[in-house]
Amino acid sequence: MTEVLSLLFTPRSVDHPPAALGLVKLLPTLVRNPLETWPRPLFTERLFWQSFAGRPLLFVMDPVLIDEVLVAKAAVFTKAPIIRRTIGPAVGNDSIFTAEGAQWRWQRRAAAPPFRHATILGFVPSFHAAAARTASALEARGGETVDVAELMMATTFDVIVETMLSGAASFDTRRFGAEISHYFDTVGWIAALSILRIPSWVPYPGKRRARAGNLFLRREMARVIAERRARSGTTPDLLDFLIAAADPETGRAMTDAELADNLLTFVVAGHETTALALTWAIWLLSNAPDVEARLLEEVGRVVGDGPVEAGHIDELVYVKQVVQEAMRLYPPAPLIPRIASEDVTLGGERIAAGTPVYVPVYAVHRHHLIWDEPEAFDPDRFAPARARALHRGAYLPFGAGPRICIGAAFAMAEAVAILATLVRAVRFIPIAGHQPLPTIRLTLRPDGGMPMRVEPRARP
Ligand code: HEM
C-alpha cells in the first residue's frame, strides 16, 4: 500500500500558518493570497473559530456539519454579505447567484431548462468543436510554451457563448477575460476592507480599473440582449428562457438590467471555473505519466479517432475521475461563505445570528480526517465504488443543497469532452522547476498562469 502511494504525484502546497494570523499580518496576506491566511487546523479539525477584527467566524470542515449548513439548515445559513460585496459589483445583487428567497427561487426555475440532462448531451458537439479548434491551434505551435490557463479560458468561453447565447454575439474573448481578471484581482482588497468594516465606497488599488471593466462587461451584455430582442425564431437557449420567464407570484418578467446581470453571472460562473478545472487537470496529468497513459488508453478505446459524442460521456469513466480528483486538489470555487440568519446550534456550538459560517472547500478536500495521503494526486479515489462511499459533505466542488451549482452536470460533461479531445491530440509538458501555487482570486487560479510546453502527438 505504502509503495503504491509513494508513486503518486504530490504537488507542492501552500505554506499555511500554524495558527490564525494577527490582524497586522492578516491584511496584507489576504490581499496577496487569502489561501495563505488559512491556518493548519482547517486541515485537521472539524470546526475552527477565528476572530476577524474582533468578530468571530466559524469554519466548518466536518462533512456531517457541512451537510447541515448547506442542506438541512440552508434556510438559516444564507449566503454571506461578503458574496454580495465581492461579486455584487460585477453581477448585481439580485441575480441568481446573489439573490435570496423568492427573488432567487423564480430565477433558478427560469434558468433550469437548458441544464436538463438531455439538453446538456445535445451540447456535446459544441464542447468537442471548441476543444478541437484549440487542439488544432496547439498542433501548429509544437515545441512552444503556451499559457494553458489562458487557452482554457478562451476554450470554455467559446462554449458558453455558443451554448447559452447561441453564439449570436461577436465577443472580444481576450478583452472579456482580461476585464474579468482585473476585477477578480481586486477581490482581496474588497475582502480586507470588509473585515475592517470599511464602507464599500472607499477607494483601493485597481478599483477604478475594475469598475471600468464591469461597465464594459455590462455594455456587452446589454448589446446581446438588444440583438436578441430584435430577432426571433431560433432554437431557444438560456437567454430566450430568461426573457420569457415570469415570476409565478407576481407575473413580473426580468428587466433588461436583471437579464444583463444574470447573463453576466452565467458567462462568468460558467466558463472561468470549468477552465480552471481543466487547467489544473492538464498540469496534474503531465506530472503523472501513469495516469496520463490510462486516460489515453480509455479515450482510444471509447472514442477512437473521431469526435467525442454524447454517448461517450458516461463511458469516459477514468477521464471523469481525473477531472474530479483535479477539482479535489484544486477546487475552482475554494470557499463557500454563509451567515447565520438567526441564533442556531451546530455540532454543539452555539452560533449567534450574524456570525459568518464558512465552508473552506479547499481545506475539506485536503482534510487529514477525510482523505488518505490528502495532498497526493490519485484519481482512483473516485473509482465508482469508492466514490459512492464518500460522504456528500466531504467533496463539494459544486457546493450542496438548494444553492448547488446549476451548471454542475454541464461543467462535468464539458470538462470530460474537452480533456479527452485535447490530451489525445497534444502532449502537455510541464516547465522544469515550475510548480504553480494556487491563489484565491474568488476562484482558485495558478499564481502566474500555467505555462507549459506543447508537442502534437503522432496520429495513429
Ligand atoms: C467546474 C466548473 C464549476 C464549478 C467548480 C462551479 C462551482 C459552483 C459552486 C461551488 C456554486 C455554489 C456557490 C454557493 O453555494 O455559494 C455554484 C453556483 C452556481 N454556478 Fe457553478 N460551477 C461550475 C460551473 C458552472 C457552469 C458551467 C455554470 C453555468 C453554465 C455555472 C453557473 C452557476 C450559477 C448560476 C450558480 C448559482 C446557483 C444558485 O445560487 O442557484 N457554474 N457554482
Side-chain angles (χ1 to χ4, degrees):
M1 183 72 172
T2 330
E3 233 169 88
V4 174
L5 288 175
S6 67
L7 292 174
L8 298 171
F9 171 60
T10 302
R12 181 161 77 104
S13 56
V14 170
D15 197 10
H16 296 278
L21 295 175
L23 200 57
V24 174
K25 267 200 161 171
L26 178 74
L27 293 175
T29 314
L30 261 183
V31 172
R32 189 176 65 241
N33 180 7
L35 198 55
E36 291 174 26
T37 70
W38 290 18
R40 283 183 219 153
L42 262 56
F43 300 82
T44 53
E45 306 291 326
R46 297 190 145 86
L47 291 169
F48 185 76
W49 283 101
Q50 184 162 2
S51 169
F52 276 111
R55 276 188 305 180
L57 180 154
L58 182 63
F59 282 104
V60 184
M61 287 74 68
D62 180 331
V64 176
L65 300 181
I66 288 174
D67 208 55
E68 219 173 300
V69 171
L70 296 179
V71 187
K73 291 183 180 157
V76 174
F77 295 103
T78 51
K79 289 211 169 186
I82 188 97
I83 295 187
R84 297 165 83 90
R85 187 155 174 180
T86 49
I87 301 178
V91 303
N93 276 330
D94 282 319
S95 69
I96 182 170
F97 202 97
T98 43
E100 289 285 352
Q103 171 69 1
W104 161 73
R105 242 185 319 279
W106 81 278
Q107 299 190 77
R108 175 101 187 186
R109 271 199 301 269
F115 296 99
R116 293 196 183 115
H117 184 67
T119 316
I120 292 171
L121 288 183
F123 292 143
V124 174
S126 301
F127 302 158
H128 174 81
R133 282 193 292 274
T134 302
S136 314
L138 287 176
E139 280 170 333
R141 297 180 65 182
E144 287 182 34
T145 297
V146 299
D147 183 351
V148 173
E150 199 181 295
L151 278 170
M152 291 306 102
M153 295 285 172
T155 309
T156 57
F157 189 84
D158 254 22
V159 167
I160 203 81
V161 171
E162 191 167 324
T163 56
M164 296 287 141
L165 307 173
S166 299
S170 49
F171 282 109
D172 175 348
T173 311
R174 271 180 177 269
R175 167 105 196 260
F176 210 96
E179 298 300 1
I180 292 171
S181 285
H182 284 308
Y183 180 70
F184 280 16
D185 283 346
T186 61
V187 164
W189 278 103
I190 302 178
L193 297 180
S194 155
I195 283 171
L196 292 174
R197 280 173 262 186
I198 293 174
S200 52
W201 54 263
V202 169
Y204 48 83
K207 183 175 188 181
R208 196 196 289 254
R209 179 80 191 71
R211 180 168 296 172
N214 282 342
L215 282 175
F216 165 80
L217 296 173
R218 276 161 189 252
R219 267 199 313 272
E220 284 291 274
M221 289 304 136
R223 178 172 66 81
V224 175
I225 294 163
E227 278 174 11
R228 181 61 60 89
R229 286 207 191 276
R231 104 188 142 81
S232 58
T234 51
T235 318
D237 61 11
L238 176 75
L239 178 51
D240 294 310
F241 280 108
L242 294 180
I243 288 177
D247 184 341
E249 278 159 34
T250 62
R252 183 171 85 75
M254 281 186 206
T255 62
D256 278 6
E258 286 168 332
L259 282 171
D261 281 352
N262 273 310
L263 278 192
L264 202 50
T265 302
F266 277 96
V267 173
V268 174
H271 91 282
E272 149 103 21
T273 41
T274 316
L276 289 169
L278 283 162
T279 302
W280 289 110
I282 287 172
W283 179 73
L284 287 163
L285 270 180
S286 72
N287 282 283
D290 294 354
V291 177
E292 189 188 50
R294 262 178 83 182
L295 180 138
L296 280 169
E297 186 282 319
E298 180 179 84
V299 176
R301 180 166 37 81
V302 172
V303 184
D305 301 333
V308 175
E309 290 168 359
H312 296 139
I313 297 295
D314 287 344
E315 304 211 356
L316 291 169
V317 178
Y318 193 67
V319 181
K320 183 177 172 196
Q321 285 174 222
V322 169
V323 174
Q324 288 173 308
E325 175 67 345
M327 289 199 296
R328 182 188 68 83
L329 282 169
Y330 300 102
L335 177 73
I336 301 183
R338 294 289 187 263
I339 189 164
S341 62
E342 58 188 62
D343 290 350
V344 62
T345 54
L346 182 76
E349 301 283 320
R350 291 177 53 189
I351 300 170
T355 307
V357 175
Y358 285 7
V359 179
V361 178
Y362 176 91
V364 176
H365 285 187
R366 292 171 181 241
H367 203 281
H368 290 254
L369 296 175
I370 302 175
W371 311 92
D372 290 333
E373 297 271 315
E375 311 262 305
F377 175 55
D378 179 12
D380 277 335
R381 299 176 203 272
F382 293 96
R386 280 174 72 185
R388 273 193 292 276
L390 269 178
H391 191 284
R392 69 174 173 178
Y395 181 67
L396 313 137
F398 297 109
R403 304 304 292 255
I404 195 169
C405 178
I406 197 170
F410 178 98
M412 279 313 296
E414 178 188 6
V416 165
I418 293 178
L419 190 63
T421 306
L422 282 181
V423 176
R424 183 181 59 179
V426 182
R427 199 172 143 227
F428 292 88
I429 303 158
I431 305 295
H434 180 75
Q435 283 263 12
L437 281 179
T439 312
I440 297 186
R441 290 275 174 268
L442 270 184
T443 49
L444 197 71
R445 296 176 163 210
D447 191 15
M450 189 64 89
M452 295 186 78
R453 207 155 58 77
V454 285
E455 288 294 352
R457 286 190 200 277
R459 291 184 191 278

